[in-house]
Amino acid sequence: MKINGFSYKELFNLAIQKPILAQLEITQNCNQECSFCFKKCSYQKKYKDFSLLTWKKIVKNLSNFGVTNINFTGGEVFLYRDFIKLVDYSKKNGIKNILVNTNGSVPLSGFDLSKIDSLVFSVHDIGEKHDSIVGLKGAFNNLVKNLKKNIKRSAINVVITDKNIDRLDDVLNYFKKFDLQFFSFNLAGDINGETKISKALFKKYLSFLKKLEKCVGDKVLLRHGMQNIVINDKKFFEAKIPLPHCAGGKYKLLVDYQGDVYPCSFFQNDNFYCGNILNDNLADIWKNGKGFIFFRKQYLEIKNLPNDCKACFKKDKCGGGCFVWRSFNKKTKKYEKDIRCDIGNAYLGTGNN
């Protein structure tokens, strides 16, 4: 297939010359101990953070390389002493959009949040049930107070586990009264990208998603995997639940609290290590990083696609989907198709285009 005279592979290679999104884990320190945390963060552990000067150098390097969007995450970002100074610096140095993930338990009244475009609060249940999951008494009440004071820039992200799968309606009913930027409900994963939910629980999740779309409409956001920048399809971007796909190595990279670079927060191990942003050239990291090369190969080479995907007319638009939502088959040593394929407009069955 040719688009304006270019093959899809040619367009893909042009599109990934530079990343546009960086996820920065600015601290590993956290004041909670969430039962599902794939980073194994804990209030009982203490880590040494980079100085503000070091993070400024990293942000400047990324901005000069083409990054215009930053997602600050952790640990808990508001435990980083100079976080707001770093946000301000980022806005002044080419970063147009800043999204911040927070557990919401740290009082935010003393912070100037005006440069933050989106505050995404991690919600996992209601009241004391949420507190039990995150291991901190009073966490939910503090979260709600912070959300109400910053409602215009607030969103929620719910990590789905076997502990809260039957109470998602309660979470939705509580928060749909707020005018949030978006509602995100996603499966728990681990450091190797494996999802932590059974098929039985996933069926419940699918049923819940239909209700979610009716309640909050186009504010549904099914991470992981953002919109693909090389897709020339207006309907794709207008869909409430777009085709799933992977952003890692296409236009996204992750930098952890030690400066190590990976394609995705859920693939932070030696097999996907791409380099260190403080010690290695960023252009070389982006072009030759082991994890990036793996992700790109999976996307571009049809032999790596699951059998269900090979016969699908939409395979060039999603490439099999997001790896966090695709289970790894140890027998075939291949990733299965994205488990969201049967949701609404994301359906990938043969003959559906």
Side-chain angles (χ1 to χ4, degrees):
M1 180 181 71
K2 294 276 187 177
I3 301 175
N4 296 328
F6 292 92
S7 70
Y8 193 80
K9 186 173 183 179
E10 288 172 328
L11 287 175
F12 177 83
N13 287 329
L14 284 171
I16 65 169
Q17 291 296 311
K18 303 275 182 76
I20 61 172
L21 168 65
Q23 193 171 10
L24 305 186
E25 296 180 344
I26 62 170
T27 183
Q28 182 80 342
N29 292 307
C30 192
N31 60 337
Q32 295 187 164
E33 195 168 39
C34 299
S35 58
F36 55 81
C37 181
F38 66 94
K39 295 285 292 182
K40 306 301 180 186
C41 294
S42 171
Y43 61 85
Q44 302 179 58
K45 300 176 182 178
K46 299 299 176 185
Y47 299 87
K48 185 177 180 179
D49 292 332
F50 282 157
S51 67
L52 175 61
L53 179 61
T54 298
W55 274 116
K56 281 183 175 180
K57 289 180 179 178
I58 291 173
V59 168
K60 188 65 174 177
N61 192 5
L62 290 166
S63 178
N64 288 342
F65 195 57
V67 169
T68 55
N69 300 267
I70 286 182
N71 173 201
F72 286 111
T73 184
E76 170 49 46
V77 293
F78 287 100
L79 294 182
Y80 182 72
R81 183 179 57 186
D82 295 312
F83 177 54
I84 295 301
K85 291 180 180 178
L86 181 59
V87 168
D88 291 344
Y89 177 85
S90 300
K91 277 289 187 176
K92 292 175 182 177
N93 285 271
I95 304 304
K96 297 178 181 179
N97 185 74
I98 293 177
L99 182 147
V100 173
N101 288 91
T102 175
N103 63 38
S105 62
V106 177
L108 301 181
S109 56
F111 295 96
D112 178 7
L113 307 177
S114 60
K115 302 294 193 303
I116 296 174
D117 298 283
S118 299
L119 270 171
V120 185
F121 293 94
S122 297
V123 180
H124 310 302
D125 213 316
I126 301 297
E128 293 181 357
K129 293 176 181 177
H130 169 88
D131 295 354
S132 176
I133 290 175
V134 303
L136 179 64
K137 189 175 181 180
F140 183 79
N141 287 337
N142 287 336
L143 182 156
V144 173
K145 288 178 183 177
N146 285 325
L147 183 149
K148 287 181 177 178
K149 290 179 180 178
N150 299 280
I151 197 65
K152 291 184 179 180
R153 58 174 57 88
S154 293
I156 64 168
N157 178 56
V158 183
V159 176
I160 300 166
T161 70
D162 56 355
K163 293 183 178 181
N164 64 8
I165 187 71
D166 291 319
R167 295 195 292 274
L168 298 181
D169 285 343
D170 295 338
V171 177
L172 177 60
N173 291 334
Y174 185 94
F175 285 97
K176 71 181 181 182
K177 61 187 177 185
F178 300 112
D179 186 23
L180 300 180
Q181 288 186 345
F182 59 81
F183 296 72
S184 180
F185 289 77
N186 292 289
L187 307 183
D190 66 18
I191 209 70
N192 298 304
E194 293 287 337
T195 54
K196 294 182 178 179
I197 191 167
S198 67
K199 289 184 178 180
L201 292 184
F202 183 65
K203 286 184 178 180
K204 292 183 180 180
Y205 176 50
L206 290 182
S207 176
F208 169 75
L209 284 180
K210 294 178 181 179
K211 185 179 300 184
L212 176 66
E213 187 176 350
K214 289 181 181 178
C215 289
V216 297
D218 59 3
K219 292 188 177 183
V220 179
L221 181 60
L222 292 183
R223 297 176 180 175
H224 317 279
M226 297 173 64
Q227 316 299 55
N228 191 315
I229 57 175
V230 298
I231 289 178
N232 183 19
D233 185 345
K234 186 178 179 181
K235 290 184 178 180
F236 175 90
F237 293 103
E238 290 178 344
K240 290 182 179 180
I241 304 177
L243 284 170
H245 75 281
C246 170
K250 296 182 197 172
Y251 54 93
K252 169 190 170 183
L253 58 80
L254 174 135
V255 183
D256 76 4
Y257 75 105
Q258 295 176 309
D260 292 335
V261 180
Y262 300 91
C264 171
S265 56
F266 290 96
F267 289 85
Q268 292 176 250
N269 57 50
D270 291 342
N271 293 328
F272 300 96
Y273 176 74
C274 297
N276 186 283
I277 198 168
L278 297 175
N279 302 324
D280 304 313
N281 179 272
L282 183 53
D284 290 338
I285 292 174
W286 181 248
K287 182 178 180 181
N288 303 312
K290 182 167 52 176
F292 295 141
I293 289 174
F294 171 83
F295 273 50
R296 292 164 189 162
K297 274 189 173 183
Q298 298 298 311
Y299 184 79
L300 284 174
E301 298 181 11
I302 193 170
K303 67 180 181 180
N304 292 319
L305 290 176
N307 289 330
D308 288 346
C309 299
K310 289 178 181 178
C312 175
F313 289 109
K314 294 185 177 181
K315 61 180 178 292
D316 288 334
K317 296 180 181 179
C318 80
C322 167
F323 290 103
V324 182
W325 296 76
R326 296 169 63 181
S327 59
F328 184 74
N329 189 319
K330 293 180 180 179
K331 290 184 178 179
T332 63
K333 295 187 178 180
K334 289 185 178 181
Y335 284 92
E336 304 293 350
K337 71 177 184 180
D338 192 307
I339 57 178
R340 297 171 294 176
C341 288
D342 295 331
I343 304 173
N345 195 59
Y347 181 68
L348 297 177
T350 304
N352 292 272
N353 53 30

